[in-house]
PDB file of all heavy atoms in Angstrom:
ATOM      1  N   ALA A   1      10.315-106.672  -7.555  1.00 95.00           N
ATOM      2  CA  ALA A   1      10.203-105.674  -6.762  1.00 95.00           C
ATOM      3  C   ALA A   1       8.758-105.184  -6.402  1.00 95.00           C
ATOM      4  O   ALA A   1       8.408-104.910  -5.253  1.00 95.00           O
ATOM      5  CB  ALA A   1      10.862-104.420  -7.235  1.00 95.00           C
ATOM      6  N   VAL A   2       7.904-105.220  -7.459  1.00 96.00           N
ATOM      7  CA  VAL A   2       6.452-104.985  -7.264  1.00 96.00           C
ATOM      8  C   VAL A   2       5.888-105.997  -6.301  1.00 96.00           C
ATOM      9  O   VAL A   2       5.120-105.707  -5.448  1.00 96.00           O
ATOM     10  CB  VAL A   2       5.843-104.862  -8.571  1.00 96.00           C
ATOM     11  CG1 VAL A   2       4.277-104.800  -8.374  1.00 96.00           C
ATOM     12  CG2 VAL A   2       6.159-103.615  -9.325  1.00 96.00           C
ATOM     13  N   LEU A   3       6.085-107.254  -6.484  1.00 97.00           N
ATOM     14  CA  LEU A   3       5.520-108.258  -5.745  1.00 97.00           C
ATOM     15  C   LEU A   3       6.044-108.175  -4.239  1.00 97.00           C
ATOM     16  O   LEU A   3       5.264-108.308  -3.376  1.00 97.00           O
ATOM     17  CB  LEU A   3       5.954-109.737  -6.176  1.00 97.00           C
ATOM     18  CG  LEU A   3       5.209-110.091  -7.497  1.00 97.00           C
ATOM     19  CD1 LEU A   3       5.893-111.464  -7.966  1.00 97.00           C
ATOM     20  CD2 LEU A   3       3.683-110.354  -7.273  1.00 97.00           C
ATOM     21  N   ALA A   4       7.311-107.895  -4.027  1.00 95.00           N
ATOM     22  CA  ALA A   4       7.820-107.724  -2.674  1.00 95.00           C
ATOM     23  C   ALA A   4       7.275-106.556  -2.035  1.00 95.00           C
ATOM     24  O   ALA A   4       6.948-106.531  -0.844  1.00 95.00           O
ATOM     25  CB  ALA A   4       9.407-107.594  -2.692  1.00 95.00           C
ATOM     26  N   SER A   5       7.018-105.421  -2.760  1.00 92.00           N
ATOM     27  CA  SER A   5       6.519-104.107  -2.179  1.00 92.00           C
ATOM     28  C   SER A   5       5.061-104.400  -1.731  1.00 92.00           C
ATOM     29  O   SER A   5       4.608-103.958  -0.779  1.00 92.00           O
ATOM     30  CB  SER A   5       6.547-103.102  -3.209  1.00 92.00           C
ATOM     31  OG  SER A   5       7.922-102.793  -3.583  1.00 92.00           O
ATOM     32  N   THR A   6       4.392-105.121  -2.623  1.00 93.00           N
ATOM     33  CA  THR A   6       2.906-105.402  -2.321  1.00 93.00           C
ATOM     34  C   THR A   6       2.807-106.332  -1.117  1.00 93.00           C
ATOM     35  O   THR A   6       2.009-106.074  -0.251  1.00 93.00           O
ATOM     36  CB  THR A   6       2.194-106.096  -3.485  1.00 93.00           C
ATOM     37  OG1 THR A   6       2.345-105.144  -4.707  1.00 93.00           O
ATOM     38  CG2 THR A   6       0.770-106.384  -3.292  1.00 93.00           C
ATOM     39  N   ALA A   7       3.681-107.417  -1.039  1.00 93.00           N
ATOM     40  CA  ALA A   7       3.583-108.222   0.076  1.00 93.00           C
ATOM     41  C   ALA A   7       3.996-107.490   1.338  1.00 93.00           C
ATOM     42  O   ALA A   7       3.392-107.715   2.460  1.00 93.00           O
ATOM     43  CB  ALA A   7       4.603-109.486  -0.156  1.00 93.00           C
ATOM     44  N   ALA A   8       4.967-106.598   1.323  1.00 90.00           N
ATOM     45  CA  ALA A   8       5.418-105.836   2.502  1.00 90.00           C
ATOM     46  C   ALA A   8       4.275-104.924   2.971  1.00 90.00           C
ATOM     47  O   ALA A   8       3.930-104.904   4.115  1.00 90.00           O
ATOM     48  CB  ALA A   8       6.609-105.012   2.119  1.00 90.00           C
ATOM     49  N   ARG A   9       3.639-104.319   2.003  1.00 88.00           N
ATOM     50  CA  ARG A   9       2.481-103.435   2.330  1.00 88.00           C
ATOM     51  C   ARG A   9       1.357-104.159   3.058  1.00 88.00           C
ATOM     52  O   ARG A   9       0.746-103.744   3.944  1.00 88.00           O
ATOM     53  CB  ARG A   9       1.970-102.676   1.098  1.00 88.00           C
ATOM     54  CG  ARG A   9       0.910-101.723   1.347  1.00 88.00           C
ATOM     55  CD  ARG A   9       0.880-100.696   2.404  1.00 88.00           C
ATOM     56  NE  ARG A   9       1.996 -99.827   2.447  1.00 88.00           N
ATOM     57  CZ  ARG A   9       2.470 -99.317   3.618  1.00 88.00           C
ATOM     58  NH1 ARG A   9       1.931 -99.532   4.677  1.00 88.00           N
ATOM     59  NH2 ARG A   9       3.624 -98.562   3.526  1.00 88.00           N
ATOM     60  N   LEU A  10       1.101-105.284   2.477  1.00 90.00           N
ATOM     61  CA  LEU A  10       0.032-106.192   3.059  1.00 90.00           C
ATOM     62  C   LEU A  10       0.412-106.797   4.465  1.00 90.00           C
ATOM     63  O   LEU A  10      -0.447-106.959   5.339  1.00 90.00           O
ATOM     64  CB  LEU A  10      -0.409-107.284   2.082  1.00 90.00           C
ATOM     65  CG  LEU A  10      -1.065-106.857   0.861  1.00 90.00           C
ATOM     66  CD1 LEU A  10      -1.229-108.095  -0.120  1.00 90.00           C
ATOM     67  CD2 LEU A  10      -2.402-106.221   1.034  1.00 90.00           C
ATOM     68  N   ALA A  11       1.716-107.121   4.558  1.00 89.00           N
ATOM     69  CA  ALA A  11       2.064-107.762   5.896  1.00 89.00           C
ATOM     70  C   ALA A  11       2.395-106.958   6.956  1.00 89.00           C
ATOM     71  O   ALA A  11       2.266-107.293   8.158  1.00 89.00           O
ATOM     72  CB  ALA A  11       3.292-108.676   5.440  1.00 89.00           C
ATOM     73  N   LEU A  12       2.801-105.694   6.773  1.00 84.00           N
ATOM     74  CA  LEU A  12       3.216-104.734   7.790  1.00 84.00           C
ATOM     75  C   LEU A  12       1.940-103.899   8.179  1.00 84.00           C
ATOM     76  O   LEU A  12       1.056-103.663   7.432  1.00 84.00           O
ATOM     77  CB  LEU A  12       4.436-103.861   7.292  1.00 84.00           C
ATOM     78  CG  LEU A  12       5.735-104.747   7.035  1.00 84.00           C
ATOM     79  CD1 LEU A  12       6.731-103.759   6.361  1.00 84.00           C
ATOM     80  CD2 LEU A  12       6.207-105.131   8.313  1.00 84.00           C
ATOM     81  N   PRO A  13       2.029-103.350   9.408  1.00 82.00           N
ATOM     82  CA  PRO A  13       0.993-102.607   9.860  1.00 82.00           C
ATOM     83  C   PRO A  13       0.865-101.257   8.982  1.00 82.00           C
ATOM     84  O   PRO A  13       1.694-100.816   8.473  1.00 82.00           O
ATOM     85  CB  PRO A  13       1.309-102.150  11.332  1.00 82.00           C
ATOM     86  CG  PRO A  13       2.385-103.124  11.779  1.00 82.00           C
ATOM     87  CD  PRO A  13       3.040-103.652  10.486  1.00 82.00           C
ATOM     88  N   ASP A  14      -0.372-100.775   8.934  1.00 78.00           N
ATOM     89  CA  ASP A  14      -0.676 -99.564   8.046  1.00 78.00           C
ATOM     90  C   ASP A  14       0.089 -98.309   8.415  1.00 78.00           C
ATOM     91  O   ASP A  14       0.513 -97.645   7.525  1.00 78.00           O
ATOM     92  CB  ASP A  14      -2.195 -99.241   8.151  1.00 78.00           C
ATOM     93  CG  ASP A  14      -3.073-100.344   7.420  1.00 78.00           C
ATOM     94  OD1 ASP A  14      -2.516-100.993   6.483  1.00 78.00           O
ATOM     95  OD2 ASP A  14      -4.246-100.427   7.604  1.00 78.00           O
ATOM     96  N   ASP A  15       0.470 -98.225   9.678  1.00 73.00           N
ATOM     97  CA  ASP A  15       1.192 -96.981  10.025  1.00 73.00           C
ATOM     98  C   ASP A  15       2.686 -97.113   9.789  1.00 73.00           C
ATOM     99  O   ASP A  15       3.454 -96.204  10.158  1.00 73.00           O
ATOM    100  CB  ASP A  15       0.856 -96.595  11.478  1.00 73.00           C
ATOM    101  CG  ASP A  15       1.358 -97.691  12.529  1.00 73.00           C
ATOM    102  OD1 ASP A  15       1.561 -98.851  12.040  1.00 73.00           O
ATOM    103  OD2 ASP A  15       1.405 -97.331  13.656  1.00 73.00           O
ATOM    104  N   THR A  16       3.156 -98.228   9.261  1.00 74.00           N
ATOM    105  CA  THR A  16       4.597 -98.458   8.969  1.00 74.00           C
ATOM    106  C   THR A  16       5.069 -97.583   7.811  1.00 74.00           C
ATOM    107  O   THR A  16       4.417 -97.623   6.676  1.00 74.00           O
ATOM    108  CB  THR A  16       4.889 -99.950   8.709  1.00 74.00           C
ATOM    109  OG1 THR A  16       4.484-100.703   9.715  1.00 74.00           O
ATOM    110  CG2 THR A  16       6.395-100.069   8.379  1.00 74.00           C
ATOM    111  N   SER A  17       6.057 -96.828   7.937  1.00 73.00           N
ATOM    112  CA  SER A  17       6.592 -95.923   6.887  1.00 73.00           C
ATOM    113  C   SER A  17       7.629 -96.654   6.249  1.00 73.00           C
ATOM    114  O   SER A  17       8.747 -96.850   6.776  1.00 73.00           O
ATOM    115  CB  SER A  17       7.025 -94.504   7.419  1.00 73.00           C
ATOM    116  OG  SER A  17       7.529 -93.884   6.412  1.00 73.00           O
ATOM    117  N   LEU A  18       7.408 -96.940   4.900  1.00 70.00           N
ATOM    118  CA  LEU A  18       8.532 -97.617   4.079  1.00 70.00           C
ATOM    119  C   LEU A  18       9.104 -96.792   3.042  1.00 70.00           C
ATOM    120  O   LEU A  18       9.806 -97.210   2.196  1.00 70.00           O
ATOM    121  CB  LEU A  18       7.831 -98.845   3.411  1.00 70.00           C
ATOM    122  CG  LEU A  18       7.311-100.003   4.368  1.00 70.00           C
ATOM    123  CD1 LEU A  18       6.762-101.140   3.614  1.00 70.00           C
ATOM    124  CD2 LEU A  18       8.403-100.520   5.242  1.00 70.00           C
ATOM    125  N   VAL A  19       8.716 -95.536   3.118  1.00 64.00           N
ATOM    126  CA  VAL A  19       9.203 -94.575   2.051  1.00 64.00           C
ATOM    127  C   VAL A  19      10.508 -94.060   2.517  1.00 64.00           C
ATOM    128  O   VAL A  19      10.623 -93.474   3.630  1.00 64.00           O
ATOM    129  CB  VAL A  19       8.219 -93.358   1.797  1.00 64.00           C
ATOM    130  CG1 VAL A  19       8.807 -92.395   0.868  1.00 64.00           C
ATOM    131  CG2 VAL A  19       6.913 -94.013   1.361  1.00 64.00           C
ATOM    132  N   THR A  20      11.544 -94.063   1.812  1.00 65.00           N
ATOM    133  CA  THR A  20      12.853 -93.553   2.064  1.00 65.00           C
ATOM    134  C   THR A  20      12.711 -91.956   1.824  1.00 65.00           C
ATOM    135  O   THR A  20      12.237 -91.483   0.808  1.00 65.00           O
ATOM    136  CB  THR A  20      13.880 -93.977   1.119  1.00 65.00           C
ATOM    137  OG1 THR A  20      14.010 -95.393   1.228  1.00 65.00           O
ATOM    138  CG2 THR A  20      15.297 -93.465   1.452  1.00 65.00           C
ATOM    139  N   ARG A  21      13.135 -91.183   2.828  1.00 63.00           N
ATOM    140  CA  ARG A  21      13.133 -89.681   2.824  1.00 63.00           C
ATOM    141  C   ARG A  21      14.553 -89.114   2.791  1.00 63.00           C
ATOM    142  O   ARG A  21      15.421 -89.660   3.310  1.00 63.00           O
ATOM    143  CB  ARG A  21      12.342 -89.198   3.921  1.00 63.00           C
ATOM    144  CG  ARG A  21      10.769 -89.644   3.922  1.00 63.00           C
ATOM    145  CD  ARG A  21      10.080 -89.036   5.135  1.00 63.00           C
ATOM    146  NE  ARG A  21       8.668 -89.340   5.053  1.00 63.00           N
ATOM    147  CZ  ARG A  21       8.215 -90.586   5.591  1.00 63.00           C
ATOM    148  NH1 ARG A  21       8.986 -91.368   6.157  1.00 63.00           N
ATOM    149  NH2 ARG A  21       6.950 -90.843   5.492  1.00 63.00           N
ATOM    150  N   VAL A  22      14.578 -87.893   2.131  1.00 62.00           N
ATOM    151  CA  VAL A  22      15.856 -87.192   2.166  1.00 62.00           C
ATOM    152  C   VAL A  22      15.903 -86.564   3.681  1.00 62.00           C
ATOM    153  O   VAL A  22      14.985 -86.059   4.241  1.00 62.00           O
ATOM    154  CB  VAL A  22      15.801 -86.125   1.133  1.00 62.00           C
ATOM    155  CG1 VAL A  22      17.123 -85.220   1.263  1.00 62.00           C
ATOM    156  CG2 VAL A  22      15.731 -86.649  -0.233  1.00 62.00           C
ATOM    157  N   SER A  23      17.183 -86.731   4.227  1.00 67.00           N
ATOM    158  CA  SER A  23      17.299 -86.247   5.534  1.00 67.00           C
ATOM    159  C   SER A  23      17.024 -84.737   5.634  1.00 67.00           C
ATOM    160  O   SER A  23      17.149 -83.946   4.725  1.00 67.00           O
ATOM    161  CB  SER A  23      18.660 -86.638   6.049  1.00 67.00           C
ATOM    162  OG  SER A  23      19.452 -85.403   6.274  1.00 67.00           O
ATOM    163  N   ALA A  24      16.526 -84.266   6.789  1.00 68.00           N
ATOM    164  CA  ALA A  24      16.212 -82.909   7.035  1.00 68.00           C
ATOM    165  C   ALA A  24      17.482 -82.003   6.895  1.00 68.00           C
ATOM    166  O   ALA A  24      17.328 -80.818   6.449  1.00 68.00           O
ATOM    167  CB  ALA A  24      15.615 -82.625   8.364  1.00 68.00           C
ATOM    168  N   ALA A  25      18.647 -82.628   7.075  1.00 76.00           N
ATOM    169  CA  ALA A  25      19.853 -81.885   7.076  1.00 76.00           C
ATOM    170  C   ALA A  25      20.390 -81.786   5.546  1.00 76.00           C
ATOM    171  O   ALA A  25      21.239 -81.009   5.313  1.00 76.00           O
ATOM    172  CB  ALA A  25      21.057 -82.461   7.809  1.00 76.00           C
ATOM    173  N   GLY A  26      19.733 -82.472   4.702  1.00 77.00           N
ATOM    174  CA  GLY A  26      20.265 -82.589   3.300  1.00 77.00           C
ATOM    175  C   GLY A  26      19.220 -82.084   2.261  1.00 77.00           C
ATOM    176  O   GLY A  26      18.028 -81.770   2.633  1.00 77.00           O
ATOM    177  N   THR A  27      19.679 -82.045   0.998  1.00 83.00           N
ATOM    178  CA  THR A  27      18.788 -81.657  -0.049  1.00 83.00           C
ATOM    179  C   THR A  27      18.564 -82.871  -0.946  1.00 83.00           C
ATOM    180  O   THR A  27      19.340 -83.809  -0.904  1.00 83.00           O
ATOM    181  CB  THR A  27      19.358 -80.491  -0.818  1.00 83.00           C
ATOM    182  OG1 THR A  27      20.617 -81.015  -1.511  1.00 83.00           O
ATOM    183  CG2 THR A  27      19.736 -79.298  -0.004  1.00 83.00           C
ATOM    184  N   ALA A  28      17.582 -82.649  -1.844  1.00 82.00           N
ATOM    185  CA  ALA A  28      17.422 -83.777  -2.892  1.00 82.00           C
ATOM    186  C   ALA A  28      18.620 -83.971  -3.644  1.00 82.00           C
ATOM    187  O   ALA A  28      18.956 -85.069  -4.087  1.00 82.00           O
ATOM    188  CB  ALA A  28      16.179 -83.391  -3.660  1.00 82.00           C
ATOM    189  N   GLY A  29      19.366 -82.909  -4.059  1.00 88.00           N
ATOM    190  CA  GLY A  29      20.545 -82.940  -4.837  1.00 88.00           C
ATOM    191  C   GLY A  29      21.660 -83.785  -4.195  1.00 88.00           C
ATOM    192  O   GLY A  29      22.413 -84.633  -4.770  1.00 88.00           O
ATOM    193  N   GLN A  30      21.803 -83.522  -2.877  1.00 87.00           N
ATOM    194  CA  GLN A  30      22.807 -84.285  -2.195  1.00 87.00           C
ATOM    195  C   GLN A  30      22.376 -85.740  -2.018  1.00 87.00           C
ATOM    196  O   GLN A  30      23.317 -86.643  -2.195  1.00 87.00           O
ATOM    197  CB  GLN A  30      22.914 -83.608  -0.746  1.00 87.00           C
ATOM    198  CG  GLN A  30      23.548 -82.285  -0.711  1.00 87.00           C
ATOM    199  CD  GLN A  30      23.504 -81.609   0.551  1.00 87.00           C
ATOM    200  OE1 GLN A  30      22.542 -81.801   1.370  1.00 87.00           O
ATOM    201  NE2 GLN A  30      24.459 -80.777   0.968  1.00 87.00           N
ATOM    202  N   ALA A  31      21.165 -86.025  -1.806  1.00 84.00           N
ATOM    203  CA  ALA A  31      20.744 -87.377  -1.832  1.00 84.00           C
ATOM    204  C   ALA A  31      21.074 -88.055  -3.148  1.00 84.00           C
ATOM    205  O   ALA A  31      21.462 -89.331  -3.159  1.00 84.00           O
ATOM    206  CB  ALA A  31      19.211 -87.439  -1.449  1.00 84.00           C
ATOM    207  N   LEU A  32      20.767 -87.419  -4.302  1.00 88.00           N
ATOM    208  CA  LEU A  32      21.088 -87.896  -5.598  1.00 88.00           C
ATOM    209  C   LEU A  32      22.577 -88.235  -5.722  1.00 88.00           C
ATOM    210  O   LEU A  32      22.970 -89.258  -6.289  1.00 88.00           O
ATOM    211  CB  LEU A  32      20.549 -87.063  -6.634  1.00 88.00           C
ATOM    212  CG  LEU A  32      20.812 -87.507  -8.051  1.00 88.00           C
ATOM    213  CD1 LEU A  32      20.044 -88.840  -8.430  1.00 88.00           C
ATOM    214  CD2 LEU A  32      20.343 -86.478  -9.085  1.00 88.00           C
ATOM    215  N   ALA A  33      23.445 -87.285  -5.232  1.00 91.00           N
ATOM    216  CA  ALA A  33      24.794 -87.534  -5.372  1.00 91.00           C
ATOM    217  C   ALA A  33      25.272 -88.748  -4.542  1.00 91.00           C
ATOM    218  O   ALA A  33      26.052 -89.521  -5.055  1.00 91.00           O
ATOM    219  CB  ALA A  33      25.438 -86.325  -4.859  1.00 91.00           C
ATOM    220  N   TRP A  34      24.817 -88.906  -3.396  1.00 88.00           N
ATOM    221  CA  TRP A  34      25.108 -90.002  -2.587  1.00 88.00           C
ATOM    222  C   TRP A  34      24.576 -91.291  -3.192  1.00 88.00           C
ATOM    223  O   TRP A  34      25.247 -92.372  -3.127  1.00 88.00           O
ATOM    224  CB  TRP A  34      24.506 -89.925  -1.240  1.00 88.00           C
ATOM    225  CG  TRP A  34      25.494 -89.150  -0.246  1.00 88.00           C
ATOM    226  CD1 TRP A  34      25.245 -87.844   0.276  1.00 88.00           C
ATOM    227  CD2 TRP A  34      26.772 -89.439   0.213  1.00 88.00           C
ATOM    228  NE1 TRP A  34      26.267 -87.378   1.034  1.00 88.00           N
ATOM    229  CE2 TRP A  34      27.235 -88.405   0.981  1.00 88.00           C
ATOM    230  CE3 TRP A  34      27.502 -90.588   0.009  1.00 88.00           C
ATOM    231  CZ2 TRP A  34      28.566 -88.401   1.611  1.00 88.00           C
ATOM    232  CZ3 TRP A  34      28.813 -90.561   0.701  1.00 88.00           C
ATOM    233  CH2 TRP A  34      29.199 -89.398   1.474  1.00 88.00           C
ATOM    234  N   GLU A  35      23.403 -91.318  -3.775  1.00 88.00           N
ATOM    235  CA  GLU A  35      22.800 -92.557  -4.350  1.00 88.00           C
ATOM    236  C   GLU A  35      23.768 -92.880  -5.630  1.00 88.00           C
ATOM    237  O   GLU A  35      23.995 -93.963  -5.898  1.00 88.00           O
ATOM    238  CB  GLU A  35      21.495 -92.334  -4.757  1.00 88.00           C
ATOM    239  CG  GLU A  35      20.824 -93.387  -5.493  1.00 88.00           C
ATOM    240  CD  GLU A  35      20.654 -94.685  -4.552  1.00 88.00           C
ATOM    241  OE1 GLU A  35      20.467 -94.534  -3.346  1.00 88.00           O
ATOM    242  OE2 GLU A  35      20.689 -95.811  -5.144  1.00 88.00           O
TER     243      GLU A  35
END
């Protein structure tokens, strides 16, 4: 996972957002429940 993340960060443009975010309509608790 670390190797893939490093490769993706190096290969993709700097402004690419790869961070998963909790939707504006939900809470962190709801995201944890779905996960």
Side-chain angles (χ1 to χ4, degrees):
V2 167
L3 286 172
S5 300
T6 302
R9 179 50 53 206
L10 293 173
L12 294 170
D14 287 338
D15 61 344
T16 304
S17 176
L18 299 178
V19 178
T20 304
R21 292 183 181 86
V22 176
S23 113
T27 66
Q30 290 170 326
L32 178 63
W34 276 110
E35 181 65 29

